[in-house]
Amino acid sequence: GDSVTQMEGPVTLSEEAFLTINCTYTATGYPSLFWYVQYPGEGLQLLLKATKADDKGSNKGFEATYRKETTSFHLEKGSVQVSDSAVYFCALSGSNYKLTFGKGTLLTVNP
Amino acid sequence: DVKVTQSSRYLVKRTGEKVFLECVQDMDHENMFWYRQDPGLGLRLIYFSYDVKMKEKGDIPEGYSVSREKKERFSLILESASTNQTSMYLCASRTGTGYSNQPQHFGDGTRLSIL
């Protein structure tokens, strides 16, 4: 079945540091890929998406590229802010109704 | 913007009670979902619905039921609440039928405590 593996946290960075959160997936067919963000005490918000190979999703300075050859969708940001502190989830939408999530990565950004 | 509204942010109930969690979406989405989120276990799908009065079991349906009488509303029911159902519950909705590249949109969650 479908699965998503993302790097375990927690990740702690200083403000303005570069961020990478790795995400790899296993799926049949051609899934769509998503990154969601969850701020403390809130639900999940869609951060970005990519629906086919080589697509780059981007939003709020975050980027991720759908790499079919490496089955990866790594999240990157060039300069993180304290307000980016949250839990980040990689997810895929495969051949059925389900959204399959990774376990989440807690990011803490210190001033 | 899509708005998914869950009726309560925090809820405290007693063991054995019948508990209703309500979710409403305002974008005429066909599909609605209920998840629970627990530390170390991530998000797990409880039930989903792809149309009015239609429902499908997710990965962990035991102890739960659902109701979808109107397109915009999807209710999760804990028939007889137990302490192991203490969790964060998240509702989501999505447009499209079957496989879709559209994202799911989430509510703010209900943190449910069963005492």
Side-chain angles (χ1 to χ4, degrees):
Chain A
D2 298 343
S3 68
V4 174
T5 303
Q6 62 181 102
M7 64 186 284
E8 303 251 343
V11 174
T12 303
L13 296 173
S14 297
E15 207 164 23
E16 299 184 2
F18 184 85
L19 169 71
T20 299
I21 300 178
N22 290 335
C23 172
T24 58
Y25 67 90
T26 302
T28 55
Y30 303 95
S32 294
L33 300 172
F34 308 92
W35 276 101
Y36 285 85
V37 59
Q38 185 177 34
Y39 298 102
E42 298 184 10
L44 275 69
Q45 300 177 22
L46 178 67
L47 183 59
L48 53 85
K49 72 172 187 178
T51 59
K52 61 182 188 296
D54 300 323
D55 266 2
K56 178 187 279 188
S58 61
N59 186 26
K60 300 180 182 178
F62 291 89
E63 294 182 338
T65 301
Y66 188 160
R67 302 283 187 203
K68 189 164 176 62
E69 64 276 12
T70 54
T71 61
S72 65
F73 192 54
H74 304 321
L75 182 68
E76 296 181 338
K77 187 175 185 182
S79 176
V80 293
Q81 305 300 312
V82 172
S83 57
D84 293 327
S85 298
V87 180
Y88 292 81
F89 292 91
C90 184
L92 73 82
S93 178
S95 57
N96 53 35
Y97 287 91
K98 285 181 59 173
L99 197 59
T100 301
F101 288 91
K103 291 285 179 64
T105 302
L106 173 63
L107 170 66
T108 302
V109 180
N110 294 318
Chain B
D1 277 357
V2 176
K3 185 69 175 175
V4 178
T5 303
Q6 294 185 231
S7 53
S8 305
R9 291 296 300 273
Y10 301 94
L11 205 55
V12 180
K13 296 292 182 180
R14 298 229 173 254
T15 304
E17 280 192 68
K18 191 169 186 176
V19 180
F20 293 84
L21 302 183
E22 306 287 346
C23 176
V24 176
Q25 50 95 3
D26 66 354
M27 286 301 292
D28 203 37
H29 285 173
E30 295 85 353
N31 310 283
M32 297 187 75
F33 306 81
W34 275 108
Y35 296 86
R36 63 177 285 176
Q37 181 179 23
D38 300 287
L41 297 176
L43 282 90
R44 295 178 290 169
L45 181 65
I46 305 171
Y47 267 98
F48 67 96
S49 169
Y50 53 89
D51 201 353
V52 176
K53 296 191 186 295
M54 306 304 291
K55 61 185 179 184
E56 292 284 344
K57 293 180 180 179
D59 299 319
I60 51 163
E62 296 78 17
Y64 302 93
S65 63
V66 290
S67 172
R68 190 157 180 214
E69 296 296 319
K70 294 185 178 181
K71 192 174 185 179
E72 68 270 18
R73 186 180 298 271
F74 192 36
S75 302
L76 180 69
I77 303 156
L78 286 66
E79 297 291 344
S80 177
S82 64
T83 55
N84 63 10
Q85 292 178 309
T86 291
S87 186
M88 169 74 108
Y89 289 87
L90 293 165
C91 176
S93 72
R94 192 203 77 191
T95 190
T97 55
Y99 166 71
S100 171
N101 62 13
Q102 296 301 310
Q104 291 184 18
H105 299 271
F106 286 81
D108 284 337
T110 296
R111 188 163 293 281
L112 175 65
S113 296
I114 306 296
L115 304 180

